[in-house]
mmCIF file of all heavy atoms in Angstrom:
data_model
loop_
_atom_site.group_PDB
_atom_site.id
_atom_site.type_symbol
_atom_site.label_atom_id
_atom_site.label_comp_id
_atom_site.label_asym_id
_atom_site.label_seq_id
_atom_site.Cartn_x
_atom_site.Cartn_y
_atom_site.Cartn_z
ATOM 1 N N VAL A 330 32.037 63.771 142.162
ATOM 2 C CA VAL A 330 31.769 64.341 143.489
ATOM 3 C C VAL A 330 31.328 65.796 143.321
ATOM 4 O O VAL A 330 31.542 66.412 142.273
ATOM 5 C CB VAL A 330 33.017 64.268 144.410
ATOM 6 C CG1 VAL A 330 33.356 62.823 144.737
ATOM 7 C CG2 VAL A 330 34.201 64.994 143.788
ATOM 8 N N SER A 331 30.722 66.344 144.371
ATOM 9 C CA SER A 331 30.207 67.715 144.311
ATOM 10 C C SER A 331 31.344 68.722 144.215
ATOM 11 O O SER A 331 32.501 68.403 144.488
ATOM 12 C CB SER A 331 29.379 68.002 145.565
ATOM 13 O OG SER A 331 30.242 68.107 146.687
ATOM 14 N N LYS A 332 30.990 69.948 143.862
ATOM 15 C CA LYS A 332 31.997 71.003 143.731
ATOM 16 C C LYS A 332 31.956 71.982 144.907
ATOM 17 O O LYS A 332 32.593 73.028 144.854
ATOM 18 C CB LYS A 332 31.770 71.773 142.430
ATOM 19 C CG LYS A 332 32.063 70.949 141.179
ATOM 20 C CD LYS A 332 32.014 71.836 139.935
ATOM 21 C CE LYS A 332 32.550 71.124 138.708
ATOM 22 N NZ LYS A 332 31.709 69.996 138.307
ATOM 23 N N ARG A 333 31.183 71.690 145.947
ATOM 24 C CA ARG A 333 31.077 72.648 147.052
ATOM 25 C C ARG A 333 32.421 72.816 147.751
ATOM 26 O O ARG A 333 33.091 71.832 148.038
ATOM 27 C CB ARG A 333 30.019 72.197 148.055
ATOM 28 C CG ARG A 333 28.632 72.349 147.479
ATOM 29 C CD ARG A 333 27.538 72.200 148.519
ATOM 30 N NE ARG A 333 26.263 72.210 147.803
ATOM 31 C CZ ARG A 333 25.738 71.133 147.253
ATOM 32 N NH1 ARG A 333 26.328 69.964 147.378
ATOM 33 N NH2 ARG A 333 24.608 71.233 146.594
ATOM 34 N N THR A 334 32.775 74.045 148.038
ATOM 35 C CA THR A 334 34.086 74.309 148.633
ATOM 36 C C THR A 334 33.968 74.776 150.082
ATOM 37 O O THR A 334 34.917 74.654 150.844
ATOM 38 C CB THR A 334 34.831 75.393 147.835
ATOM 39 O OG1 THR A 334 34.016 76.566 147.789
ATOM 40 C CG2 THR A 334 35.114 74.927 146.420
ATOM 41 N N CYS A 339 27.959 72.383 153.035
ATOM 42 C CA CYS A 339 28.073 70.942 152.755
ATOM 43 C C CYS A 339 27.090 70.105 153.564
ATOM 44 O O CYS A 339 26.796 70.389 154.724
ATOM 45 C CB CYS A 339 29.493 70.453 153.052
ATOM 46 S SG CYS A 339 30.686 70.997 151.818
ATOM 47 N N VAL A 383 28.364 60.098 148.207
ATOM 48 C CA VAL A 383 29.470 61.064 148.096
ATOM 49 C C VAL A 383 29.984 61.054 146.648
ATOM 50 O O VAL A 383 30.210 62.105 146.045
ATOM 51 C CB VAL A 383 30.625 60.729 149.071
ATOM 52 C CG1 VAL A 383 31.862 61.583 148.762
ATOM 53 C CG2 VAL A 383 30.185 60.948 150.515
ATOM 54 N N ASP A 389 28.346 65.748 150.370
ATOM 55 C CA ASP A 389 29.673 66.297 150.118
ATOM 56 C C ASP A 389 30.754 65.579 150.911
ATOM 57 O O ASP A 389 31.940 65.695 150.608
ATOM 58 C CB ASP A 389 29.675 67.784 150.469
ATOM 59 C CG ASP A 389 28.522 68.501 149.772
ATOM 60 O OD1 ASP A 389 28.593 68.649 148.546
ATOM 61 O OD2 ASP A 389 27.538 68.874 150.446
ATOM 62 N N GLY A 390 30.339 64.833 151.952
ATOM 63 C CA GLY A 390 31.299 64.125 152.778
ATOM 64 C C GLY A 390 30.620 63.044 153.597
ATOM 65 O O GLY A 390 29.385 62.995 153.697
ATOM 66 N N GLY A 412 36.432 61.251 141.596
ATOM 67 C CA GLY A 412 37.233 62.448 141.845
ATOM 68 C C GLY A 412 37.290 62.872 143.299
ATOM 69 O O GLY A 412 37.768 63.957 143.616
ATOM 70 N N GLY A 413 36.814 62.007 144.195
ATOM 71 C CA GLY A 413 36.844 62.331 145.622
ATOM 72 C C GLY A 413 38.036 61.712 146.320
ATOM 73 O O GLY A 413 38.863 61.027 145.695
ATOM 74 N N LEU A 414 38.124 61.970 147.620
ATOM 75 C CA LEU A 414 39.199 61.415 148.436
ATOM 76 C C LEU A 414 38.584 60.554 149.530
ATOM 77 O O LEU A 414 37.487 60.827 150.026
ATOM 78 C CB LEU A 414 40.021 62.534 149.078
ATOM 79 C CG LEU A 414 40.791 63.426 148.098
ATOM 80 C CD1 LEU A 414 41.384 64.632 148.822
ATOM 81 C CD2 LEU A 414 41.894 62.635 147.393
ATOM 82 N N ALA A 432 35.354 60.321 153.818
ATOM 83 C CA ALA A 432 35.328 60.508 152.372
ATOM 84 C C ALA A 432 34.715 61.860 152.059
ATOM 85 O O ALA A 432 33.925 62.386 152.841
ATOM 86 C CB ALA A 432 34.514 59.398 151.702
ATOM 87 N N GLY A 433 35.072 62.401 150.901
ATOM 88 C CA GLY A 433 34.442 63.659 150.509
ATOM 89 C C GLY A 433 34.998 64.183 149.204
ATOM 90 O O GLY A 433 35.939 63.614 148.643
ATOM 91 N N ASN A 434 34.398 65.283 148.720
ATOM 92 C CA ASN A 434 35.042 65.964 147.604
ATOM 93 C C ASN A 434 36.355 66.536 148.158
ATOM 94 O O ASN A 434 36.489 66.700 149.374
ATOM 95 C CB ASN A 434 34.112 67.006 146.962
ATOM 96 C CG ASN A 434 33.997 68.316 147.718
ATOM 97 O OD1 ASN A 434 34.971 68.834 148.274
ATOM 98 N ND2 ASN A 434 32.804 68.869 147.771
ATOM 99 N N PRO A 435 37.342 66.815 147.309
ATOM 100 C CA PRO A 435 38.665 67.151 147.848
ATOM 101 C C PRO A 435 38.674 68.315 148.840
ATOM 102 O O PRO A 435 39.364 68.255 149.858
ATOM 103 C CB PRO A 435 39.476 67.476 146.582
ATOM 104 C CG PRO A 435 38.844 66.652 145.513
ATOM 105 C CD PRO A 435 37.375 66.651 145.837
ATOM 106 N N ARG A 436 37.889 69.369 148.561
ATOM 107 C CA ARG A 436 37.898 70.530 149.453
ATOM 108 C C ARG A 436 37.218 70.213 150.785
ATOM 109 O O ARG A 436 37.713 70.571 151.848
ATOM 110 C CB ARG A 436 37.200 71.724 148.781
ATOM 111 C CG ARG A 436 37.954 72.273 147.578
ATOM 112 C CD ARG A 436 39.240 73.015 147.955
ATOM 113 N NE ARG A 436 38.988 74.217 148.756
ATOM 114 C CZ ARG A 436 38.704 75.410 148.272
ATOM 115 N NH1 ARG A 436 38.622 75.593 146.965
ATOM 116 N NH2 ARG A 436 38.505 76.438 149.073
ATOM 117 N N ALA A 437 36.087 69.519 150.725
ATOM 118 C CA ALA A 437 35.377 69.145 151.958
ATOM 119 C C ALA A 437 36.235 68.184 152.785
ATOM 120 O O ALA A 437 36.345 68.318 154.006
ATOM 121 C CB ALA A 437 34.033 68.498 151.627
ATOM 122 N N TYR A 438 36.877 67.248 152.097
ATOM 123 C CA TYR A 438 37.711 66.245 152.759
ATOM 124 C C TYR A 438 38.804 66.915 153.585
ATOM 125 O O TYR A 438 39.008 66.602 154.759
ATOM 126 C CB TYR A 438 38.316 65.323 151.703
ATOM 127 C CG TYR A 438 39.184 64.206 152.225
ATOM 128 C CD1 TYR A 438 38.613 63.009 152.645
ATOM 129 C CD2 TYR A 438 40.571 64.320 152.267
ATOM 130 C CE1 TYR A 438 39.397 61.952 153.094
ATOM 131 C CE2 TYR A 438 41.363 63.271 152.713
ATOM 132 C CZ TYR A 438 40.774 62.098 153.124
ATOM 133 O OH TYR A 438 41.555 61.066 153.569
ATOM 134 N N GLY A 439 39.494 67.862 152.962
ATOM 135 C CA GLY A 439 40.577 68.562 153.658
ATOM 136 C C GLY A 439 40.081 69.257 154.911
ATOM 137 O O GLY A 439 40.730 69.215 155.968
#
Side-chain angles (χ1 to χ4, degrees):
V330 293
S331 71
K332 292 188 169 66
R333 289 192 187 84
T334 57
C339 287
V383 170
D389 308 289
L414 295 171
N434 78 38
R436 293 289 296 274
Y438 181 85

